[in-house]
Amino acid sequence: MDIKAVGVIGAGTMGNGIAHVFARSGFSVVLCDVEQRFLERGLATITKNLEREVAKNKVTAEEKAAALKRIEGVTERGKLAECDVIVEAATEKFEIKTEIFRDLDRLARPEVILASNTSSISITKLAALTRRPEKVIGMHFFNPVPVMKLVEVIRGLATSQETFAAVRELAVKLEKTPVEVNDAPGFVSNRVLMPLLNEAMFAVMEGVATAEAVDEVFKLGMAHPMGPLTLADFIGLDVCLDIMRVMQEGLGDPKYRPCPLLIKMVDAGWLGRKSGRGFYRY
Ligand code: 3HC
């Protein structure tokens, strides 16, 4: 499969990181979001992160300029019609993704692969919204996308081997390491990570230790680059809560119940780093 142009839906944290790595690897990118100001913010972040990479001698100033030139920001979804693959990284709500997948299925050529960067929504369910379920797949990147090596490649029930092989190859071209996973709530990454973060929140709620102490335990005792509560703030507490709820509903085991403190903090609008307050203040 000859993939040259890639569409990315959503210019938020994940979407702009995905556009960044595709453009850095020589693909032309159509980055689509609903409002011009979201595009501008996403493109400013890509510029800043590419500058960071120039400062670290990971890319040259010329490569940075060329990568930026390869990205076209659009608010009109129809512009994605020319893309060879489309990666959806929109808000993590099933209703929003439903509308997007139905629309993409209408506008993209029949051979185009539709990938989702969803962190927990069923790929099988997204695929069933389209007339090309064999061409729908999960391409789950990790934040910060330009740095993290993993792409979890998730096969929906109907995903074809051809689609899987094309996406695996695409991840390698991005200098990432693809890992194959079957469709199940939370896949592997969040199935294992989120209960850890949730349990760390229970430890804080029950007064076992402060957030700082819990984080020190994991940084110094387990060599995690960030402690679980810093990481939860980094991911976004609303995202953590949504993922716990998807696993609670999908797996039905009470061990996936979200920590009441997490629910309370999200209710308060304390969403972590992005809102200025979570387990820490920013
Ligand atoms: N773009 C480009 N480069 C970046 C960057 C970005 N957005 N952010 C950081 N970097 C680079 C820095 O330039 C630096 O490069 P160097 O190694 O060549 O010096 C390197 O990354 C490390 O950055 P810093 O020195 O500034 O900071 P740290 O050493 O504290 O590392 C971190 C930052 C990479 C974020 C590290 O703390 C980390 O790995 N944290 C864990 C992140 C993690 O677990 N992510 C997964 C979240 S789960 C997820 O995304 C899935 C979802 O479904 C929930």
Side-chain angles (χ1 to χ4, degrees):
M1 201 174 284
D2 193 20
I3 294 167
K4 291 201 169 67
V6 176
V8 178
I9 296 213
T13 308
M14 298 308 284
N16 76 57
I18 294 167
H20 174 141
V21 294
F22 273 109
R24 193 176 65 185
S25 295
F27 294 91
S28 59
V29 177
V30 182
L31 178 61
C32 180
D33 209 321
V34 286
E35 282 186 44
Q36 191 61 32
R37 65 193 170 104
F38 297 148
L39 287 173
E40 278 160 20
R41 200 164 58 197
L43 288 165
T45 303
I46 297 172
T47 307
K48 190 185 80 202
N49 285 334
L50 279 166
E51 271 158 14
R52 199 202 287 248
E53 291 176 318
V54 173
K56 301 266 177 173
N57 290 322
K58 287 182 185 158
V59 301
T60 65
E62 294 73 38
E63 284 164 344
K64 174 198 134 190
L68 284 173
K69 252 186 155 164
R70 284 188 208 107
I71 306 174
E72 183 194 1
V74 303
T75 50
E76 192 199 321
R77 221 183 265 160
K79 296 259 176 69
L80 295 168
E82 67 215 47
C83 295
D84 305 313
V85 166
I86 301 173
V87 184
E88 171 275 318
T91 307
E92 198 64 358
K93 294 274 176 262
F94 186 64
E95 313 79 71
I96 292 175
K97 293 196 196 282
T98 298
E99 189 274 319
I100 291 173
F101 269 79
R102 289 206 172 118
D103 202 30
L104 291 180
D105 190 36
R106 259 194 308 272
L107 66 87
R109 297 188 307 276
E111 69 273 19
V112 169
I113 292 173
L114 304 180
S116 177
N117 176 60
T118 179
S119 44
S120 59
I121 290 172
S122 161
I123 299 301
T124 305
K125 247 162 109 175
L126 292 175
L129 297 166
T130 73
R131 290 160 300 174
R132 62 181 91 195
E134 72 289 353
K135 298 217 165 282
V136 176
I137 192 161
M139 200 176 185
H140 187 203
F141 290 84
F142 293 80
N143 185 19
V145 180
V147 179
M148 305 308 274
K149 285 283 170 208
L150 176 66
V151 177
E152 206 177 21
V153 183
I154 302 118
R155 284 178 185 269
L157 191 57
T159 308
S160 69
Q161 177 57 25
E162 197 190 9
T163 300
F164 173 75
V167 167
R168 184 177 49 191
E169 196 183 310
L170 202 53
V172 171
K173 284 195 181 144
L174 299 178
E175 293 174 41
K176 305 282 181 203
T177 303
V179 173
E180 178 182 356
V181 168
N182 287 321
D183 195 15
F187 315 131
V188 169
S189 52
N190 285 321
R191 169 89 171 254
V192 180
L193 175 65
M194 286 300 159
L196 168 71
L197 306 192
N198 198 51
E199 199 59 33
M201 294 170 199
F202 272 109
V204 172
M205 187 183 80
E206 291 168 11
V208 179
T210 62
E212 288 82 355
V214 172
D215 280 349
E216 283 294 275
V217 166
F218 278 85
K219 279 200 306 195
L220 303 180
M222 291 85 185
H224 287 199
M226 288 175 166
L229 299 160
T230 303
L231 182 55
D233 275 359
F234 181 65
I235 292 169
L237 299 185
D238 50 340
V239 176
C240 294
L241 180 56
D242 281 347
I243 298 172
M244 286 307 294
R245 286 193 162 137
V246 166
M247 296 200 297
Q248 186 185 33
E249 196 191 306
L251 297 162
D253 189 316
K255 74 179 174 184
Y256 299 109
R257 75 205 183 286
C259 174
L261 177 59
L262 171 64
I263 298 171
K264 210 193 243 181
M265 289 174 76
V266 172
D267 284 346
W270 298 1
L271 307 181
R273 199 181 278 216
K274 64 185 165 192
S275 74
R277 183 159 188 187
F279 285 91
Y280 299 93
R281 286 172 189 265
Y282 301 89

